[in-house]
Amino acid sequence: MPEKSSELVQGTLEMLVLKTLALMPMHGYGIALRIEQISDGAFKVNPGSLLPALSRMERAGQVKGEWRETENNRRAKYYALTEKGRKALKSETAAWGRQVAAINRILEA
Amino acid sequence: MGWLRSLLRGSKSLADKRARNAEIDEELEAFIGESVSEKMRGGMCLKDAVKAAHAEAGTAATVREKVWSAGWESTLDRLWGDLTYSLRRLSHAPALVFTVVLSIGLGIAANSTVFSMVSKFVLAPPPVGDPAAFVSLFRTYDHGQCCNYFPAPVYRDVREQAKSFSDVAAYYDAVPASIGSGGESKREWGQAATENYFEAARLKMAAGRGFAASEESSPVIVLGYRLWQQRFGGDAGVIGKTVDVSGHPFTVVGVAREGFRGLDPVLDPQFWVPLGTLPELVAQATDPQSRLAQWLHIVARLKPGVTKDEASRELDVIAQRLATAHPRTDKGNGIVLKRLDYLGRNEAALHMFLLALSVVALLVLAIACANVANLLLSHGAQRQREMAVRLALGATHAQLLRQILLESILLALAGGAAGVLLSLWATYGLSSFKLPAPVATDISVHVDWRVLLYTFALSVAAGLLCGFVPAWTASRPAVPGALKGESALARPGRRLTLRSVLVVAQVSLSLVLLCGAGLFLRSLESAMKIDVGFRSRGIAMMAVDPQLLRYAPERTVQMLRDARERIAHLPGVISATTTDGVPLSGGHRSDGFVVPGYPAPQSADSVELYMAGPQYFETLGIPRIAGRDLGDENPTAPKAAIVNEEFVRRYLHGDNPIGHTVTGGGVPYQIVGVVKDTKARTIGEQQRPVLYRAIAQNIASDPSGDGYTIMARYEGDSAALIKAMQDQIHAVDPALAVFNVQTMEEHMQEALLLPRFVSTLFTVFGVSGLLLALIGLYSVMSYSVSQRTKEIGIRMALGAKATEVQRMVVRGGMRLALVSVVLGLPLALAAAKLTTSLLYGVKPWDVATFTLVPLLLVAVSLVACWVPSRRAARVDPMVALRVD
């Protein structure tokens, strides 16, 4: 193992995906790469968990998929955030903030 | 809206699985492609990059599986897969499916048939609007003894004084009338109700309306649905028309909705008239001013917001007020409020009866379930290898369990469907039983939605119950052994296997059922042999009610005399007579009697009263012991009567009664003769005192409420005679409606209703149980033989003879059968004790039943063991040892 990649905290993947897509529409690998880069390689997202999550979020109406050409001339499904997704991101971020603060309080107590 | 989108997408992907899979694959490919491009940009060579990207992404199949499992449709899809797999598997074992479906079908049919009775008599809400707020009132006597009906003045008092009710209605439950005119008139039973009856019950009408407030005693009539269909062809134009009701013109104002048969669960009234018209329709209607005659049913609707407790308290106050105002008649009487369909004293007995039947039916189902569990166990044992392979390939125990349970539930549901079909047939058969009562009754039962729901729930429960143990054991094979084809259940040397326990339980339970069937058959046999004291065959009977045509009493006497004489002269008729009621019709008329000079008898039973025309005792074959016969007595002479021996025993201490004058209901009768005893109300009763009075002398003073019967003792064809008798009656007056036409044989069948009903039911249950137990024993024995083929082969190779092997197998099976009999007999004896009150002339520990039934069971078990033992004896050691 060259570097230690940590497991994602349960249930946070969808929030991270929402946050990533808030910048611009991306395809699956783009999302995975972006999360890996921004987390400095701490989080690796494989398609086995990313694609089901995207499928779930598409069902829930938080993202909208569209097949387009990539810069490498491949057809890939690009996901864009919907209005509903934007709201979900906002509420999930807020909830996450509260949770982290609470956990920190407990750990420092 | 999210769930809707999810539902749409899910259904779309289920509908076109391939397209969805292709989409997932394409997305994954793009993912890997981009990943490869990225890695090559980072300096890897193509080969390494492809390898690394694939390693990171995992296999396409896994990803596909994970994406699928993110949606709800995957659960459904898996279930569907299991379902089709189960169906495919079951289609390969038609014999198993047939046996299981038949077994469960029998068990379910028993239950749904019994439940159709429960549904009709206990669960079905009364056929009125908002039944919860609609209650019955009863009059109590002797400070709280329940239950009597009401005198009309008490009804009026309650209606005026009670503030808890929005409506208080009353009805009289059995009014005969001939409906229609001329030769087409038919005698029907109906009810007379207060004008607010239909409003209080909130009944929807099929056509027209109920009574209006002003129609207290107007000649208006509401028709029952069946009568409307049969006599008026279901024509709505009949509303407003006039029909002839016992010679009076009545205007039809409405038709009750389909299925409404009044508020009583058993009676079958087909018309309703206002209570005030009753005196016109019925000879000697009850006096509406009498505070003694208790004849009206009261039903009342609670005002919104008033509880039953509050209403009860108000009724107590009213009852006390009435007791003070009318101390002579109302003292000690109370008024109680009950559920609308309260059956009085009979209710507890009916519930006990239905409960007992339900228990018996559940017993049949338990036997069936044990049977099915057994079959599935042996079927599961054959699948140990398949299960082991699937476990080895990564299936979980839960998956296997779910799959096997699904199979048994499928089987049970198919059994449930078969059971419903069987019980449709059974309820049709049961509905042909008729109550031996002169009034129209309806005790038919049907498979309704409650029965279907119950059957469905019971089938699923039965499926789970008899599937769980086999599923558990089958889903947990000892993998290493099972892969080689060894069965975990067939461990040699283990005596007490689960399968034997199931068989023993099954056989002993079926012994209990069979003993019940035996007892009730013996009881029916002895009930049929009970000497009723009169001729029980070769008599044709039919009834007329001249009062419905407003005959004066003298004309009725004359009409009956004419008809009797005409019929007596018909060819084939030996003798003919007239009476006011056929014996063994439940209750008839009775009165308390006083004999001057003798003390009142200890048990103050009332005396049964029958009117007798000329040749009565000759026709019914009742031997006369002393005195003379009754003839066409002079209506104005002192009343002559003949009594039976029990009357003499009870009222005259065995002294010669001839010449004595006895008084009943205030009327003196002079005794002119004595006859032998006969059964009066029911077949099983203790002898009752009976007094026969001359019909010609009593029609005027005490007319019958439900007509007069002409009986003819005949030789030859009854059908032709009945036609001729009807013609003779119509020759006297063509307008007379003839009813209750039957032969004495038919009447006796009805009189044997209870023993016939119970013994039929138990025979069906018992035989089903026996059949099931046999199948169980047979399947266990033949399975054990097939499992022991190798062992038997070795034994025979070592010199055992075919007969010895056969004996060994039979001995094994018979041991199970004998253990079952030993365990089952005490159970059966204990259960028999509970049936004492239903038995006629048979002790619950009837020796014949309790020796013959176990013997029968043992004999039948012998056959069930003998067949597989033949197969064991034919095992060829050379072939057997080469197996595997």
PDB file of all heavy atoms in Angstrom, chain B residues 549-579:
ATOM      1  N   LEU B 549    -108.312 -16.845   4.840  1.00  0.00           N
ATOM      2  CA  LEU B 549    -109.383 -16.436   3.934  1.00  0.00           C
ATOM      3  C   LEU B 549    -110.589 -15.944   4.721  1.00  0.00           C
ATOM      4  O   LEU B 549    -111.686 -15.882   4.212  1.00  0.00           O
ATOM      5  CB  LEU B 549    -109.781 -17.602   3.024  1.00  0.00           C
ATOM      6  CG  LEU B 549    -108.683 -18.103   2.094  1.00  0.00           C
ATOM      7  CD1 LEU B 549    -109.176 -19.278   1.263  1.00  0.00           C
ATOM      8  CD2 LEU B 549    -108.209 -16.992   1.178  1.00  0.00           C
ATOM      9  N   ARG B 550    -110.384 -15.604   5.960  1.00  0.00           N
ATOM     10  CA  ARG B 550    -111.414 -15.047   6.845  1.00  0.00           C
ATOM     11  C   ARG B 550    -112.598 -15.993   6.989  1.00  0.00           C
ATOM     12  O   ARG B 550    -113.741 -15.565   7.012  1.00  0.00           O
ATOM     13  CB  ARG B 550    -111.869 -13.679   6.358  1.00  0.00           C
ATOM     14  CG  ARG B 550    -110.768 -12.959   5.662  1.00  0.00           C
ATOM     15  CD  ARG B 550    -110.662 -11.504   5.780  1.00  0.00           C
ATOM     16  NE  ARG B 550    -111.866 -10.721   5.740  1.00  0.00           N
ATOM     17  CZ  ARG B 550    -112.033  -9.683   6.544  1.00  0.00           C
ATOM     18  NH1 ARG B 550    -111.132  -9.440   7.457  1.00  0.00           N
ATOM     19  NH2 ARG B 550    -113.094  -8.931   6.441  1.00  0.00           N
ATOM     20  N   TYR B 551    -112.325 -17.295   7.050  1.00  0.00           N
ATOM     21  CA  TYR B 551    -113.385 -18.257   7.334  1.00  0.00           C
ATOM     22  C   TYR B 551    -113.853 -18.063   8.767  1.00  0.00           C
ATOM     23  O   TYR B 551    -113.033 -17.850   9.666  1.00  0.00           O
ATOM     24  CB  TYR B 551    -112.831 -19.693   7.235  1.00  0.00           C
ATOM     25  CG  TYR B 551    -112.868 -20.322   5.867  1.00  0.00           C
ATOM     26  CD1 TYR B 551    -112.630 -19.569   4.730  1.00  0.00           C
ATOM     27  CD2 TYR B 551    -113.121 -21.683   5.727  1.00  0.00           C
ATOM     28  CE1 TYR B 551    -112.644 -20.172   3.483  1.00  0.00           C
ATOM     29  CE2 TYR B 551    -113.134 -22.291   4.498  1.00  0.00           C
ATOM     30  CZ  TYR B 551    -112.891 -21.525   3.361  1.00  0.00           C
ATOM     31  OH  TYR B 551    -112.905 -22.123   2.148  1.00  0.00           O
ATOM     32  N   ALA B 552    -115.159 -18.203   8.987  1.00  0.00           N
ATOM     33  CA  ALA B 552    -115.663 -18.271  10.358  1.00  0.00           C
ATOM     34  C   ALA B 552    -115.281 -19.654  10.896  1.00  0.00           C
ATOM     35  O   ALA B 552    -115.073 -20.582  10.118  1.00  0.00           O
ATOM     36  CB  ALA B 552    -117.175 -18.097  10.376  1.00  0.00           C
ATOM     37  N   PRO B 553    -115.182 -19.816  12.247  1.00  0.00           N
ATOM     38  CA  PRO B 553    -114.761 -21.104  12.802  1.00  0.00           C
ATOM     39  C   PRO B 553    -115.637 -22.265  12.321  1.00  0.00           C
ATOM     40  O   PRO B 553    -115.116 -23.339  11.995  1.00  0.00           O
ATOM     41  CB  PRO B 553    -114.916 -20.909  14.313  1.00  0.00           C
ATOM     42  CG  PRO B 553    -114.813 -19.455  14.529  1.00  0.00           C
ATOM     43  CD  PRO B 553    -115.325 -18.790  13.290  1.00  0.00           C
ATOM     44  N   GLU B 554    -116.942 -22.040  12.232  1.00  0.00           N
ATOM     45  CA  GLU B 554    -117.827 -23.140  11.818  1.00  0.00           C
ATOM     46  C   GLU B 554    -117.472 -23.582  10.404  1.00  0.00           C
ATOM     47  O   GLU B 554    -117.500 -24.761  10.067  1.00  0.00           O
ATOM     48  CB  GLU B 554    -119.313 -22.716  11.853  1.00  0.00           C
ATOM     49  CG  GLU B 554    -119.828 -22.231  13.200  1.00  0.00           C
ATOM     50  CD  GLU B 554    -119.341 -20.817  13.528  1.00  0.00           C
ATOM     51  OE1 GLU B 554    -119.358 -19.953  12.624  1.00  0.00           O
ATOM     52  OE2 GLU B 554    -118.911 -20.579  14.683  1.00  0.00           O
ATOM     53  N   ARG B 555    -117.147 -22.569   9.548  1.00  0.00           N
ATOM     54  CA  ARG B 555    -116.829 -22.902   8.165  1.00  0.00           C
ATOM     55  C   ARG B 555    -115.494 -23.647   8.093  1.00  0.00           C
ATOM     56  O   ARG B 555    -115.310 -24.557   7.284  1.00  0.00           O
ATOM     57  CB  ARG B 555    -116.775 -21.619   7.329  1.00  0.00           C
ATOM     58  CG  ARG B 555    -116.948 -21.915   5.861  1.00  0.00           C
ATOM     59  CD  ARG B 555    -117.049 -20.657   5.051  1.00  0.00           C
ATOM     60  NE  ARG B 555    -116.626 -20.930   3.689  1.00  0.00           N
ATOM     61  CZ  ARG B 555    -116.172 -20.018   2.855  1.00  0.00           C
ATOM     62  NH1 ARG B 555    -116.075 -18.760   3.248  1.00  0.00           N
ATOM     63  NH2 ARG B 555    -115.811 -20.351   1.634  1.00  0.00           N
ATOM     64  N   THR B 556    -114.550 -23.272   8.969  1.00  0.00           N
ATOM     65  CA  THR B 556    -113.263 -23.970   9.005  1.00  0.00           C
ATOM     66  C   THR B 556    -113.486 -25.437   9.358  1.00  0.00           C
ATOM     67  O   THR B 556    -112.935 -26.339   8.720  1.00  0.00           O
ATOM     68  CB  THR B 556    -112.333 -23.320  10.046  1.00  0.00           C
ATOM     69  OG1 THR B 556    -112.152 -21.959   9.698  1.00  0.00           O
ATOM     70  CG2 THR B 556    -110.984 -24.012  10.088  1.00  0.00           C
ATOM     71  N   VAL B 557    -114.325 -25.665  10.410  1.00  0.00           N
ATOM     72  CA  VAL B 557    -114.608 -27.038  10.827  1.00  0.00           C
ATOM     73  C   VAL B 557    -115.213 -27.809   9.657  1.00  0.00           C
ATOM     74  O   VAL B 557    -114.801 -28.936   9.342  1.00  0.00           O
ATOM     75  CB  VAL B 557    -115.568 -27.043  12.048  1.00  0.00           C
ATOM     76  CG1 VAL B 557    -116.021 -28.459  12.369  1.00  0.00           C
ATOM     77  CG2 VAL B 557    -114.884 -26.409  13.256  1.00  0.00           C
ATOM     78  N   GLN B 558    -116.186 -27.189   8.987  1.00  0.00           N
ATOM     79  CA  GLN B 558    -116.862 -27.831   7.868  1.00  0.00           C
ATOM     80  C   GLN B 558    -115.887 -28.130   6.725  1.00  0.00           C
ATOM     81  O   GLN B 558    -115.871 -29.221   6.149  1.00  0.00           O
ATOM     82  CB  GLN B 558    -117.995 -26.910   7.375  1.00  0.00           C
ATOM     83  CG  GLN B 558    -118.863 -27.498   6.284  1.00  0.00           C
ATOM     84  CD  GLN B 558    -119.538 -28.777   6.774  1.00  0.00           C
ATOM     85  OE1 GLN B 558    -120.034 -28.836   7.894  1.00  0.00           O
ATOM     86  NE2 GLN B 558    -119.541 -29.807   5.939  1.00  0.00           N
ATOM     87  N   MET B 559    -115.032 -27.144   6.430  1.00  0.00           N
ATOM     88  CA  MET B 559    -114.056 -27.290   5.341  1.00  0.00           C
ATOM     89  C   MET B 559    -113.106 -28.456   5.627  1.00  0.00           C
ATOM     90  O   MET B 559    -112.828 -29.287   4.755  1.00  0.00           O
ATOM     91  CB  MET B 559    -113.273 -25.969   5.229  1.00  0.00           C
ATOM     92  CG  MET B 559    -112.173 -25.958   4.193  1.00  0.00           C
ATOM     93  SD  MET B 559    -110.607 -26.346   4.961  1.00  0.00           S
ATOM     94  CE  MET B 559    -109.910 -27.374   3.711  1.00  0.00           C
ATOM     95  N   LEU B 560    -112.593 -28.517   6.878  1.00  0.00           N
ATOM     96  CA  LEU B 560    -111.662 -29.588   7.238  1.00  0.00           C
ATOM     97  C   LEU B 560    -112.362 -30.946   7.158  1.00  0.00           C
ATOM     98  O   LEU B 560    -111.780 -31.936   6.701  1.00  0.00           O
ATOM     99  CB  LEU B 560    -111.091 -29.369   8.647  1.00  0.00           C
ATOM    100  CG  LEU B 560    -110.077 -28.224   8.757  1.00  0.00           C
ATOM    101  CD1 LEU B 560    -109.721 -27.960  10.214  1.00  0.00           C
ATOM    102  CD2 LEU B 560    -108.813 -28.548   7.963  1.00  0.00           C
ATOM    103  N   ARG B 561    -113.647 -30.978   7.582  1.00  0.00           N
ATOM    104  CA  ARG B 561    -114.376 -32.247   7.550  1.00  0.00           C
ATOM    105  C   ARG B 561    -114.553 -32.703   6.096  1.00  0.00           C
ATOM    106  O   ARG B 561    -114.278 -33.852   5.755  1.00  0.00           O
ATOM    107  CB  ARG B 561    -115.727 -32.082   8.242  1.00  0.00           C
ATOM    108  CG  ARG B 561    -116.503 -33.390   8.344  1.00  0.00           C
ATOM    109  CD  ARG B 561    -117.865 -33.167   8.979  1.00  0.00           C
ATOM    110  NE  ARG B 561    -117.743 -32.569  10.317  1.00  0.00           N
ATOM    111  CZ  ARG B 561    -118.688 -31.823  10.878  1.00  0.00           C
ATOM    112  NH1 ARG B 561    -119.795 -31.533  10.224  1.00  0.00           N
ATOM    113  NH2 ARG B 561    -118.515 -31.332  12.077  1.00  0.00           N
ATOM    114  N   ASP B 562    -114.953 -31.751   5.221  1.00  0.00           N
ATOM    115  CA  ASP B 562    -115.136 -32.086   3.803  1.00  0.00           C
ATOM    116  C   ASP B 562    -113.839 -32.606   3.191  1.00  0.00           C
ATOM    117  O   ASP B 562    -113.810 -33.654   2.542  1.00  0.00           O
ATOM    118  CB  ASP B 562    -115.577 -30.848   3.010  1.00  0.00           C
ATOM    119  CG  ASP B 562    -117.021 -30.487   3.309  1.00  0.00           C
ATOM    120  OD1 ASP B 562    -117.677 -31.278   4.038  1.00  0.00           O
ATOM    121  OD2 ASP B 562    -117.475 -29.431   2.839  1.00  0.00           O
ATOM    122  N   ALA B 563    -112.758 -31.851   3.406  1.00  0.00           N
ATOM    123  CA  ALA B 563    -111.475 -32.209   2.791  1.00  0.00           C
ATOM    124  C   ALA B 563    -111.022 -33.576   3.297  1.00  0.00           C
ATOM    125  O   ALA B 563    -110.567 -34.428   2.527  1.00  0.00           O
ATOM    126  CB  ALA B 563    -110.429 -31.155   3.121  1.00  0.00           C
ATOM    127  N   ARG B 564    -111.190 -33.814   4.615  1.00  0.00           N
ATOM    128  CA  ARG B 564    -110.770 -35.090   5.174  1.00  0.00           C
ATOM    129  C   ARG B 564    -111.546 -36.243   4.556  1.00  0.00           C
ATOM    130  O   ARG B 564    -110.968 -37.263   4.168  1.00  0.00           O
ATOM    131  CB  ARG B 564    -110.963 -35.099   6.694  1.00  0.00           C
ATOM    132  CG  ARG B 564    -110.324 -36.293   7.383  1.00  0.00           C
ATOM    133  CD  ARG B 564    -110.862 -36.518   8.771  1.00  0.00           C
ATOM    134  NE  ARG B 564    -112.171 -37.149   8.758  1.00  0.00           N
ATOM    135  CZ  ARG B 564    -112.379 -38.463   8.582  1.00  0.00           C
ATOM    136  NH1 ARG B 564    -111.370 -39.262   8.405  1.00  0.00           N
ATOM    137  NH2 ARG B 564    -113.600 -38.953   8.560  1.00  0.00           N
ATOM    138  N   GLU B 565    -112.850 -36.056   4.428  1.00  0.00           N
ATOM    139  CA  GLU B 565    -113.658 -37.148   3.880  1.00  0.00           C
ATOM    140  C   GLU B 565    -113.321 -37.419   2.421  1.00  0.00           C
ATOM    141  O   GLU B 565    -113.192 -38.568   1.998  1.00  0.00           O
ATOM    142  CB  GLU B 565    -115.151 -36.843   4.056  1.00  0.00           C
ATOM    143  CG  GLU B 565    -115.626 -37.308   5.424  1.00  0.00           C
ATOM    144  CD  GLU B 565    -116.977 -36.738   5.807  1.00  0.00           C
ATOM    145  OE1 GLU B 565    -117.660 -36.182   4.926  1.00  0.00           O
ATOM    146  OE2 GLU B 565    -117.330 -36.840   7.003  1.00  0.00           O
ATOM    147  N   ARG B 566    -113.145 -36.337   1.641  1.00  0.00           N
ATOM    148  CA  ARG B 566    -112.775 -36.509   0.226  1.00  0.00           C
ATOM    149  C   ARG B 566    -111.446 -37.269   0.128  1.00  0.00           C
ATOM    150  O   ARG B 566    -111.297 -38.184  -0.671  1.00  0.00           O
ATOM    151  CB  ARG B 566    -112.599 -35.148  -0.442  1.00  0.00           C
ATOM    152  CG  ARG B 566    -113.910 -34.495  -0.826  1.00  0.00           C
ATOM    153  CD  ARG B 566    -113.679 -33.030  -1.146  1.00  0.00           C
ATOM    154  NE  ARG B 566    -114.885 -32.434  -1.690  1.00  0.00           N
ATOM    155  CZ  ARG B 566    -115.229 -32.501  -2.974  1.00  0.00           C
ATOM    156  NH1 ARG B 566    -114.432 -33.115  -3.832  1.00  0.00           N
ATOM    157  NH2 ARG B 566    -116.335 -31.958  -3.398  1.00  0.00           N
ATOM    158  N   ILE B 567    -110.459 -36.853   0.953  1.00  0.00           N
ATOM    159  CA  ILE B 567    -109.138 -37.480   0.879  1.00  0.00           C
ATOM    160  C   ILE B 567    -109.187 -38.928   1.351  1.00  0.00           C
ATOM    161  O   ILE B 567    -108.542 -39.811   0.778  1.00  0.00           O
ATOM    162  CB  ILE B 567    -108.111 -36.644   1.678  1.00  0.00           C
ATOM    163  CG1 ILE B 567    -107.813 -35.357   0.894  1.00  0.00           C
ATOM    164  CG2 ILE B 567    -106.826 -37.412   1.925  1.00  0.00           C
ATOM    165  CD1 ILE B 567    -107.041 -34.322   1.646  1.00  0.00           C
ATOM    166  N   ALA B 568    -109.983 -39.177   2.407  1.00  0.00           N
ATOM    167  CA  ALA B 568    -110.086 -40.547   2.922  1.00  0.00           C
ATOM    168  C   ALA B 568    -110.643 -41.498   1.873  1.00  0.00           C
ATOM    169  O   ALA B 568    -110.378 -42.703   1.911  1.00  0.00           O
ATOM    170  CB  ALA B 568    -110.956 -40.570   4.179  1.00  0.00           C
ATOM    171  N   HIS B 569    -111.409 -40.962   0.912  1.00  0.00           N
ATOM    172  CA  HIS B 569    -111.993 -41.821  -0.117  1.00  0.00           C
ATOM    173  C   HIS B 569    -111.123 -41.951  -1.347  1.00  0.00           C
ATOM    174  O   HIS B 569    -111.496 -42.633  -2.295  1.00  0.00           O
ATOM    175  CB  HIS B 569    -113.397 -41.311  -0.497  1.00  0.00           C
ATOM    176  CG  HIS B 569    -114.413 -41.612   0.565  1.00  0.00           C
ATOM    177  ND1 HIS B 569    -114.887 -40.660   1.445  1.00  0.00           N
ATOM    178  CD2 HIS B 569    -115.015 -42.784   0.921  1.00  0.00           C
ATOM    179  CE1 HIS B 569    -115.732 -41.212   2.282  1.00  0.00           C
ATOM    180  NE2 HIS B 569    -115.822 -42.509   1.999  1.00  0.00           N
ATOM    181  N   LEU B 570    -109.975 -41.286  -1.374  1.00  0.00           N
ATOM    182  CA  LEU B 570    -109.069 -41.420  -2.528  1.00  0.00           C
ATOM    183  C   LEU B 570    -108.531 -42.849  -2.581  1.00  0.00           C
ATOM    184  O   LEU B 570    -108.312 -43.472  -1.538  1.00  0.00           O
ATOM    185  CB  LEU B 570    -107.879 -40.452  -2.381  1.00  0.00           C
ATOM    186  CG  LEU B 570    -108.146 -38.986  -2.689  1.00  0.00           C
ATOM    187  CD1 LEU B 570    -106.918 -38.168  -2.326  1.00  0.00           C
ATOM    188  CD2 LEU B 570    -108.481 -38.814  -4.164  1.00  0.00           C
ATOM    189  N   PRO B 571    -108.302 -43.377  -3.798  1.00  0.00           N
ATOM    190  CA  PRO B 571    -107.710 -44.713  -3.875  1.00  0.00           C
ATOM    191  C   PRO B 571    -106.293 -44.701  -3.287  1.00  0.00           C
ATOM    192  O   PRO B 571    -105.544 -43.754  -3.506  1.00  0.00           O
ATOM    193  CB  PRO B 571    -107.690 -45.005  -5.379  1.00  0.00           C
ATOM    194  CG  PRO B 571    -107.831 -43.678  -6.036  1.00  0.00           C
ATOM    195  CD  PRO B 571    -108.622 -42.817  -5.105  1.00  0.00           C
ATOM    196  N   GLY B 572    -105.948 -45.737  -2.554  1.00  0.00           N
ATOM    197  CA  GLY B 572    -104.610 -45.816  -1.961  1.00  0.00           C
ATOM    198  C   GLY B 572    -104.554 -45.246  -0.567  1.00  0.00           C
ATOM    199  O   GLY B 572    -103.590 -45.461   0.158  1.00  0.00           O
ATOM    200  N   VAL B 573    -105.590 -44.492  -0.151  1.00  0.00           N
ATOM    201  CA  VAL B 573    -105.577 -43.910   1.188  1.00  0.00           C
ATOM    202  C   VAL B 573    -106.269 -44.872   2.147  1.00  0.00           C
ATOM    203  O   VAL B 573    -107.389 -45.312   1.902  1.00  0.00           O
ATOM    204  CB  VAL B 573    -106.278 -42.538   1.197  1.00  0.00           C
ATOM    205  CG1 VAL B 573    -106.435 -42.028   2.627  1.00  0.00           C
ATOM    206  CG2 VAL B 573    -105.477 -41.556   0.376  1.00  0.00           C
ATOM    207  N   ILE B 574    -105.581 -45.217   3.235  1.00  0.00           N
ATOM    208  CA  ILE B 574    -106.132 -46.155   4.200  1.00  0.00           C
ATOM    209  C   ILE B 574    -106.960 -45.405   5.239  1.00  0.00           C
ATOM    210  O   ILE B 574    -108.044 -45.830   5.611  1.00  0.00           O
ATOM    211  CB  ILE B 574    -104.995 -46.948   4.879  1.00  0.00           C
ATOM    212  CG1 ILE B 574    -104.207 -47.698   3.802  1.00  0.00           C
ATOM    213  CG2 ILE B 574    -105.541 -47.907   5.914  1.00  0.00           C
ATOM    214  CD1 ILE B 574    -102.861 -48.189   4.265  1.00  0.00           C
ATOM    215  N   SER B 575    -106.412 -44.287   5.698  1.00  0.00           N
ATOM    216  CA  SER B 575    -107.178 -43.477   6.633  1.00  0.00           C
ATOM    217  C   SER B 575    -106.652 -42.057   6.542  1.00  0.00           C
ATOM    218  O   SER B 575    -105.536 -41.821   6.071  1.00  0.00           O
ATOM    219  CB  SER B 575    -107.029 -44.011   8.055  1.00  0.00           C
ATOM    220  OG  SER B 575    -105.684 -43.884   8.460  1.00  0.00           O
ATOM    221  N   ALA B 576    -107.444 -41.093   6.972  1.00  0.00           N
ATOM    222  CA  ALA B 576    -107.012 -39.695   6.925  1.00  0.00           C
ATOM    223  C   ALA B 576    -107.537 -38.985   8.142  1.00  0.00           C
ATOM    224  O   ALA B 576    -108.575 -39.353   8.701  1.00  0.00           O
ATOM    225  CB  ALA B 576    -107.524 -39.021   5.657  1.00  0.00           C
ATOM    226  N   THR B 577    -106.798 -37.953   8.560  1.00  0.00           N
ATOM    227  CA  THR B 577    -107.222 -37.218   9.744  1.00  0.00           C
ATOM    228  C   THR B 577    -106.783 -35.770   9.642  1.00  0.00           C
ATOM    229  O   THR B 577    -106.075 -35.384   8.706  1.00  0.00           O
ATOM    230  CB  THR B 577    -106.653 -37.862  11.018  1.00  0.00           C
ATOM    231  OG1 THR B 577    -107.270 -37.273  12.145  1.00  0.00           O
ATOM    232  CG2 THR B 577    -105.149 -37.670  11.099  1.00  0.00           C
ATOM    233  N   THR B 578    -107.225 -34.981  10.596  1.00  0.00           N
ATOM    234  CA  THR B 578    -106.841 -33.571  10.633  1.00  0.00           C
ATOM    235  C   THR B 578    -106.270 -33.259  12.000  1.00  0.00           C
ATOM    236  O   THR B 578    -106.637 -33.866  13.004  1.00  0.00           O
ATOM    237  CB  THR B 578    -108.067 -32.667  10.397  1.00  0.00           C
ATOM    238  OG1 THR B 578    -109.134 -33.106  11.236  1.00  0.00           O
ATOM    239  CG2 THR B 578    -108.522 -32.730   8.958  1.00  0.00           C
ATOM    240  N   THR B 579    -105.351 -32.281  12.039  1.00  0.00           N
ATOM    241  CA  THR B 579    -104.756 -31.886  13.311  1.00  0.00           C
ATOM    242  C   THR B 579    -104.280 -30.446  13.181  1.00  0.00           C
ATOM    243  O   THR B 579    -104.315 -29.861  12.096  1.00  0.00           O
ATOM    244  CB  THR B 579    -103.579 -32.806  13.690  1.00  0.00           C
ATOM    245  OG1 THR B 579    -103.057 -32.383  14.942  1.00  0.00           O
ATOM    246  CG2 THR B 579    -102.473 -32.743  12.658  1.00  0.00           C
TER     247      THR B 579
END
